[in-house]
Structures are given as C-alpha cells and as structure tokens.
Amino acid sequence: MTSAATAATTTAMTGAATAAGLTVLARAGWDPAARPGGPPNLPGFTASPFGPLFAHVADRCLTAFHGTAPAPPEDGRDTGLVLVSRLGDMATETAVTGSVDRGTKASPLLFYQSVPSAVLGVVSARWGLGGPVICISPAGDPWAEGLELAGLLAEDGSARDVLVVLVELGVGEGEPDSAEALLVRGAAVAGGPAGSVVARPEGVAE
C-alpha cells in the first residue's frame, strides 16, 4: 500500500470515528506487499487467510496501545471486539463445499473456523478481553457501520474500548486481501474531542 493510500485510509477511518463520537487509540493494517506469503500461521486455523489476517492486525493494534498480551485487567475487561466483513470467510466456505462435492472428509478445523466468532474468541482469550464479541456483514459503508456499532456499545456501557477489525478477502484475479484494525474509545470516556488520537497509530503493519 502506498503512503498516499495509507493516508487516505487513515483519514477515512478517523472521519468515521469522529462521526460515531469515538476517539482513536491505535490503528494497524495489513500490507500484502510486505508479506507476499500471507499472514503468520494461526494454530487451529487452516485453508483460509481470513482468521490469521484478523488475528494479525488485531494483535498489532492491541500491541500498539497495550504493549504485550494480555491487556491490563482494568482495560481488558471493558474492551469489546467487532468483526466487520461484507463477504466473510469465503475461503473456508469454498474448502468445506469442495470437500462435500468431492465426497472427501473435511478437516474438523474447517467447521470450527466457519463460525465467524471463532477467531474473535482466540484474540479475546489471548488479550484477556471481557467485552462483547460481535460480527456484522454490512450492506453499507463497512467502517461507518462498524464504528457506529462501536459507538453504541460505548454509549450504553457495554464496553469502554472497542477493537473494530475490517477483513475482506480478495475476490478478483490478483486482488489482494485486506485487513485494518482500529481501537477506539467513547469520546466522553477518553476526555478528548471525537476523532482525536490519544495514542500514536501504528499505521500499516506487516
């Protein structure tokens, strides 16, 4: 991803956070050019980069704000997770249906990871997060809808901080996978104007 594209993405995400009344704590993203072999392997997940992509950018974003896992208990217990994806994990779906069509035995891991919240549970356990875990497939703008949901969670007291992660697998020939993570906090709790950044965003991570 070029520096211009990165700046545009950051501006769009920050604008969506401002509209939702949120303060940005940290950000991380996936740069396919930096790791042409794909994201690091994630134990328990196979045949699809979807779960590993989510875990990779989520870990980078949480590390940018908290340091090493787990998060401090006073922070972790009030942090929720929101996965946003228009198309979901198509690679796992393709692997399962392919096994059925061929009449072969599918890996049990495929059925585990076909549940969208499975990888969210992995990240939650690693970081000691106790807030809501939600997956959405928006019809409209993914960041606007994901951050709007994060704002509602903060507003009703379900979570103080929310990690919003957008993951989309490439569908066209040569189209790269994409993943971005944003850790946000309700502006009233953060004590700053909506959209302000209270920790240095990581930017695009490998």
Side-chain angles (χ1 to χ4, degrees):
M1 184 179 293
T2 65
S3 58
T6 299
T9 300
T10 301
T11 299
M13 290 191 299
T14 302
T18 301
L22 298 165
T23 294
V24 178
L25 302 179
R27 172 187 170 261
W30 167 249
D31 182 2
R35 293 186 66 101
N41 290 332
L42 181 64
F45 291 79
T46 185
S48 171
F50 192 91
L53 276 171
F54 176 93
H56 182 65
V57 296
D59 283 344
R60 298 292 294 234
C61 191
L62 290 167
T63 297
F65 188 70
H66 293 299
T68 57
E74 62 274 17
D75 292 326
R77 62 172 172 255
D78 290 324
T79 299
L81 276 175
V82 173
L83 165 62
V84 184
S85 182
R86 284 176 169 169
L87 300 177
D89 188 356
M90 298 177 298
T92 292
E93 180 182 349
T94 299
V96 172
T97 56
S99 293
V100 172
D101 291 343
R102 293 189 302 271
T104 58
K105 183 179 179 180
S107 167
L109 292 176
L110 292 175
F111 296 97
Y112 162 71
Q113 72 188 45
S114 66
V115 179
S117 60
V119 70
L120 281 72
V122 171
V123 172
S124 272
R126 179 184 300 164
W127 285 90
L129 309 183
V133 172
I134 302 174
C135 305
I136 64 171
S137 180
D141 179 81
W143 276 118
E145 294 196 26
L147 289 167
E148 181 182 11
L149 174 57
L152 292 173
L153 293 175
E155 184 179 342
D156 72 6
S158 297
R160 184 191 64 181
D161 300 340
V162 182
L163 179 65
V164 183
V165 183
L166 173 62
V167 181
E168 297 292 354
L169 299 184
V171 294
E173 183 69 29
E175 182 181 351
D177 302 329
S178 63
E180 297 280 347
L182 209 62
L183 182 63
V184 295
R185 177 175 293 175
V189 178
S196 61
V197 178
V198 299
R200 182 178 179 272
E202 184 187 73
V204 175
E206 293 184 2

